[in-house]
Amino acid sequence: MKRFIKISIVFFFCLLSAYAILSIFLKKEKNYNSAFVDKLSLLKKYKNQKKIILIGGSAIGWGVSAEFIEKQTGIKTINLGHYASFGFMDYQEFIIENMTKEDIVIFSPEWYFYFSPRHFDDATLDDLIKNNIEYGFLINNYKHILRSLYRPLFIPKYFSLNYDKDRVYRYNCFNNNGDIVSHCDKKPTGPKYYQLPDSIISVNQFKDVYSFLNTIVRLK
Amino acid sequence: MLVAGSIERANHLLPQIQKNRIFSYSQAISGSKLILWGLFKKIVIADNLAIIADKYFDAPHSYDSFSLIIGVIAFSFQIYCDFSGYTDIALGSAKLLGFELLSNFKFPYFARDIAEFWRRWHISLSSWFRDYLYIPLGGSQKGKLIATRNTFIIFLVSGFWHGASWNFIIWGFLHAIFFIPYLLLSKNRNNVNTIVASDKNFPSISELTKIFFTFSLVCFAWIFFRAENLNDSIIYVKQLCFDAFNNPSQFLRIGQHFIYPQKNLNILWVFPLLFVEWRFRFNERSLHLSNSRKVNILFYLIISILILNYLLQTLDKEPSGFIYFQF
């Protein structure tokens, strides 16, 4: 009996170790959510410097230009707006640790945070944690690291129908300030630059689709 | 309690309960191997093949002939892996506790004729029907006519045992039709107590042809077993046959069926399954892939990793039950 228990323990140890090693090597390709880890890394990079931090959901990420604010104010500006479903609870300690007393925080929560400030979506946060082991390391959360080691392995990519092929919601979608720029007609300037497909609609083209924008132009 | 099999006989099980049992290391290891292999067949193979089978059986009129062939092959292996996986888990758990249960499956898809298939598929139920229905009715001792009648009766009752539906009756009837020629030609006991290629590594062309023919018949009958009702099974068969004639070029574009939908690639699990079962085929209770201990350990480590992986993938989903729990 003792021998059997010993063998079983050794077998399970080998199984868990082999699985953990495989999950490090068989990584899922980075997706839109992975870009948030890079945004948080930006915050850490400028930890000791006076900065403006934009915090919110994707409305901030897509709609406010930290790059423009930085040019106008001369203060390093970082856009942390990415996905409202992440909520703020999971990583707010990390934000506090990487702030100085001179920092300016511009907080623009999505509408539902007004009645549920602790809101987050389990599945979305789960995707961020499980598929980005770097996130756990960055915010020093060993439980997250463990969860990312014991996630479904990404064996061959053709077995996953959720393969990240979206042209706008993708990993390489933001500039050096963390602004999401994959929807703009101007070329991003940061290292995450990628070629926009010709068929994508630009902000200026909206007036061809939405006639109320033309009305505004006429009024002017 | 085993709700789906093996169906145990009192004279086999009761003496084991009365006897004192002592823990045996080799029994426990062999039981653990059975549990792992059973879990692998159920969680990794059956549940993945179910995705394909469910899709094609839900709307057979929407798909071409080749897709429907993939669908029925997927179901053939799904039901085998589901039920034999369950049996292996039960056998292995019993072994851990010192009990030896009756075997229920002996690699039925390697059968060379339909009679051999029934000696290898759901053995405990087949032998129960043989002992409590076929033999009391006269078996094959009272001439070919009575034997033919008795064969029809046990297959129809076997179909009815699965459910009060025409589908199951026709499934049983088809198996009787497949079986009768062997009975009339006295060839139904040609392959008793032998396994294909018992002294070789590979089957001969003749054996392979027989296996393929038997498997095709079994697959055809599975259509009636799996479809929701008789009408659906007729639609499935009609679409499978007519579309093959109307659009034969689809068989030249086989690769396209695996590009979209990608889930069809799950059918590839059949190949490692067949490879491993071919290696196991001499003894369904002693699952040795190789004579090398290291290879065997590596094999069980790999299937455990795959089991863990699929368990983690399905943590947030409804657990899938065993098909035979409904019968």
Side-chain angles (χ1 to χ4, degrees), chain B residues 49-66:
Chain B
L49 293 180
I51 300 168
I52 305 176
D54 290 351
K55 187 179 72 179
Y56 293 128
F57 275 92
D58 283 351
H61 51 275
S62 316
Y63 297 102
D64 63 10
S65 190
F66 188 77

Side-chain angles (χ1 to χ4, degrees), chain A residues 150-167:
Chain A
Y150 295 99
R151 62 174 172 80
L153 296 177
F154 189 60
I155 304 177
K157 64 182 172 189
Y158 44 75
F159 277 127
S160 167
L161 290 177
N162 300 320
Y163 198 58
D164 186 34
K165 281 180 176 165
D166 199 291
R167 289 187 302 188

Side-chain angles (χ1 to χ4, degrees), chain A residues 101-115:
Chain A
K101 281 184 179 174
E102 290 81 42
D103 284 354
I104 300 161
V105 173
I106 299 174
F107 181 49
S108 172
E110 300 286 334
W111 63 272
Y112 45 81
F113 283 92
Y114 285 94
F115 59 84

